[in-house]
């Protein structure tokens, strides 16, 4: 009976999942139908608009060319009519002179003949007929206004819908993920000179494989990419994977997106465990600020009957006293108390290579960054027991920068950076500290981790902020390989 019930439960679970899958697909089909109708109306309107625009261009060309023909005709008509009028007047004048000459020749009177002949000769010399050009000033040929639209007609017959650009294919083997950058490369099956640019979309996800119907993070868009590759820089990897897809675009239309490709974005991600923080530390996400009115100092100031004006009982003096001499106002509420102004991360390291950075106020009275075992006591200060390793900045009385472990310290001869990078190789027992900006090695502890370790931080009268989701920088990995046979640590500290 039990086996049948278990089998039936598995069947119901399978059917439920399948029904959900079919339901999601039905929703997708309905959405596709709605999109199809809307997109069809859109392209129909675009086509009507384009042809209307094309007709308008042809009408404008027609009107312009007809106007030129009319202007050419009017100009030549004016020239020919002017020439015709001048020739008609010259012919009339010449005919009059001819009649006069014939009459003079036929006259029998001898008196005045010589003068008449001379007058006729002078008139002929000055006659318009002898000063006319008998070549037409304008041609009647209008062949230069003829048109041949055979090529244009062929081009118009070739009008068709714009070819949709081919779908690119992301080459997973050529993609790279390192130094919190992702380089994506894609190809086309055939070259396409009409492609103007590419659009790349990416989004974070905690699921391997194809996109899900409901994703936690939206697509981020990068447009106007000309080459067939793109690199995203300055990323913070706060999810396990990133999904990418790309499409090609010409001047008017975009192609289909490529098949999504999911790349692993391994990085060490953690938050600060506010429950572990000292009462004087104000924790907000990845930032910590010293709160001088919080914790035991505030309580001691409120209890005036328990203090006097002696310097030995001033708040500053009390805060510097040994944990054994400082009363715990609210025991059990905070992980660390007394002089251990410490806060831990919420994630332990038990394998692999990890890296994180911390930016701190260099004017802090004291600051420390490192790692600690879970067994670190609530009164223990970083570096003062065998359960923690750290870099410690002290600005009390005089400035010093030291590497601390098991209550032993080594002074570091290097400039105090604005950011410190912490590298941990759990299997090799390596804990290194770097100038995060210059990636210069400050100090390395070499030990053997026998249990998980936790990023740990301490601040007194100052602030700091942590940056997680970082991969081990390649320059750090390279430096670690070079220094694998040498030691930068003091053996007494490990």
């Amino acid at each position: 009976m039990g086996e049948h019930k278990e089998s039936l439960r598995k069947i119901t679970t399978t059917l439920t999942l399948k029904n959900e899958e079919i339901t999601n697909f039905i929703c997708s089909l309905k959405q596709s139908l709605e999109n199809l109708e809307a997109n069809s109306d859109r392209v129909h309107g675009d086509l009507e608009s384009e042809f209307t625009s094309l007709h308008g261009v042809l009408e404008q060309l027609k009107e312009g060319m007809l106007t030129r023909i009319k202007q050419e005709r009017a100009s030549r008509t004016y020239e020919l009519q002017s020439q015709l009028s001048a020739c008609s007047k010259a012919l009339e004048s010449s005919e009059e002179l001819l009649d006069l000459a014939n009459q003079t020749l036929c006259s029998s009177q001898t008196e005045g003949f010589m003068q008449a002949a001379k007058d006729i000769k002078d008139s002929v010399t000055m006659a318009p007929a002898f000063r006319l050009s008998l070549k037409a000033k304008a041609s009647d040929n209008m062949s230069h206004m003829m048109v041949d639209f055979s090529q244009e007609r062929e081009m118009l017959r070739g009008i068709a819908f714009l070819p949709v650009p081919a779908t690119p294919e992301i080459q997973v083997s050529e993609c790279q993920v390192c130094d919190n950058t992702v380089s994506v490369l894609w190809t086309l099956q055939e070259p396409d000179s009409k492609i103007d640019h590419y659009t790349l979309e990416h989004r974070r996800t905690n699921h391997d494989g194809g996109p899900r119907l409901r994703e936690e993070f939206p697509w981020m868009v990068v447009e106007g990419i000309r080459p067939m590759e793109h690199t995203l820089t300055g990323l913070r990897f706060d999810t396990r994977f990133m999904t990418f897809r790309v499409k090609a675009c010409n001047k008017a239309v975009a192609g289909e997106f490529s098949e999504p490709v999911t790349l692993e974005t391994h990085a060490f991600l953690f938050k600060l465990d506010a429950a572990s923080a000292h009462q004087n530390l104000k924790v907000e996400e990845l930032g910590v600020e010293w709160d001088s009115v919080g914790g035991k100092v505030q309580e001691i100031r409120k209890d005036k009957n328990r203090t006097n004006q002696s310097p030995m009982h001033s708040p500053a003096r009390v805060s510097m006293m040994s944990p054994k001499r400082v009363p715990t106002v609210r025991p059990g509420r905070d992980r660390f108390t007394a002089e251990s102004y410490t806060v831990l991360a919420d994630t332990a390291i038990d394998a692999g290579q990890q890296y994180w950075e911390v930016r701190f106020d260099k004017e802090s009275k004291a600051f420390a960054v490192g790692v600690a075992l879970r067994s670190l006591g609530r009164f223990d200060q970083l570096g003062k027991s065998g359960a923690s390793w750290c870099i410690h900045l002290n600005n009390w009385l005089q400035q010093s920068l030291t590497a601390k472990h098991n209550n032993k310290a080594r002074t570091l001869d290097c400039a105090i950076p604005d950011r410190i990078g912490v590298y941990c190789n759990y299997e090799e027992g390596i804990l290194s500290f770097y100038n995060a900006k210059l990636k210069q090695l400050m100090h390395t502890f070499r030990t053997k981790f026998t249990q998980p370790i936790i990023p740990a931080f301490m601040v007194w009268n100052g602030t700091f902020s942590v940056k997680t989701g970082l991969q081990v920088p390649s320059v750090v990995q390279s430096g670690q390989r070079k220094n694998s046979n040498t030691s930068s640590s003091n053996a007494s500290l490990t």
Side-chain angles (χ1 to χ4, degrees), residues 372-390:
L373 303 179
R374 293 184 185 275
S375 59
L376 183 68
R378 62 197 302 258
F379 293 99
D380 291 345
Q381 299 181 33
L382 293 184
K384 289 194 173 183
S385 72
S388 62
W389 299 256
C390 72

Side-chain angles (χ1 to χ4, degrees), residues 50-62:
E50 286 296 325
F51 269 100
T52 300
S53 176
L54 184 59
H55 289 153
V57 172
L58 291 174
E59 286 295 327
Q60 288 179 357
L61 289 174
K62 177 183 176 181

Side-chain angles (χ1 to χ4, degrees), residues 11-170:
I11 291 174
T12 56
T13 301
T14 302
L15 288 175
T16 301
L17 294 175
K18 178 55 69 175
N19 290 345
E20 182 181 356
E21 183 180 354
I22 295 174
T23 301
N24 292 337
F25 184 63
I26 289 174
C27 292
S28 176
L29 288 177
K30 290 181 178 179
Q31 186 63 49
S32 295
L33 286 172
E34 293 178 4
N35 293 342
L36 175 62
E37 184 175 353
N39 291 334
S40 298
D41 291 340
R42 177 178 56 82
V43 295
H44 183 275
D46 290 344
L47 183 63
E48 290 284 356
S49 176
E50 286 296 325
F51 269 100
T52 300
S53 176
L54 184 59
H55 289 153
V57 172
L58 291 174
E59 286 295 327
Q60 288 179 357
L61 289 174
K62 177 183 176 181
E63 289 298 325
M65 297 177 77
L66 288 176
T67 299
R68 286 184 58 191
I69 291 175
K70 292 177 182 179
Q71 291 175 345
E72 187 75 11
R73 175 182 177 181
S75 175
R76 294 194 184 191
T77 298
Y78 176 79
E79 291 289 342
L80 292 174
Q81 285 182 344
S82 298
Q83 194 172 15
L84 177 61
S85 175
C87 288
S88 297
K89 290 180 180 179
L91 179 59
E92 182 180 352
S93 174
S94 179
E95 287 178 346
E96 291 178 356
L97 286 175
L98 179 59
D99 290 341
L100 180 59
N102 286 332
Q103 292 175 6
T104 302
L105 287 174
C106 295
S107 176
S108 58
Q109 296 180 3
T110 57
E111 294 180 3
F113 177 81
M114 295 297 294
Q115 184 61 40
K118 183 177 180 306
D119 291 340
I120 291 172
K121 181 180 179 182
D122 292 339
S123 296
V124 169
T125 303
M126 299 299 296
F130 293 95
R131 290 184 288 109
L132 283 174
S133 171
L134 298 182
K135 181 179 180 181
K137 292 183 178 181
S139 172
D140 60 353
N141 187 353
M142 293 290 287
S143 59
H144 66 291
M145 291 289 186
M146 296 295 291
V147 294
D148 180 9
F149 289 152
S150 57
Q151 291 184 352
E152 287 76 5
R153 278 194 294 271
E154 289 301 320
M155 290 178 61
L156 289 174
R157 290 191 184 98
I159 290 178
F161 295 106
L162 267 176
V164 177
T167 302
E169 181 180 357
I170 297 178

Side-chain angles (χ1 to χ4, degrees), residues 267-279:
F268 184 43
L269 186 69
F270 64 85
K271 296 179 181 179
L272 296 177
D273 182 9
S276 73
H278 189 282
Q279 297 174 94

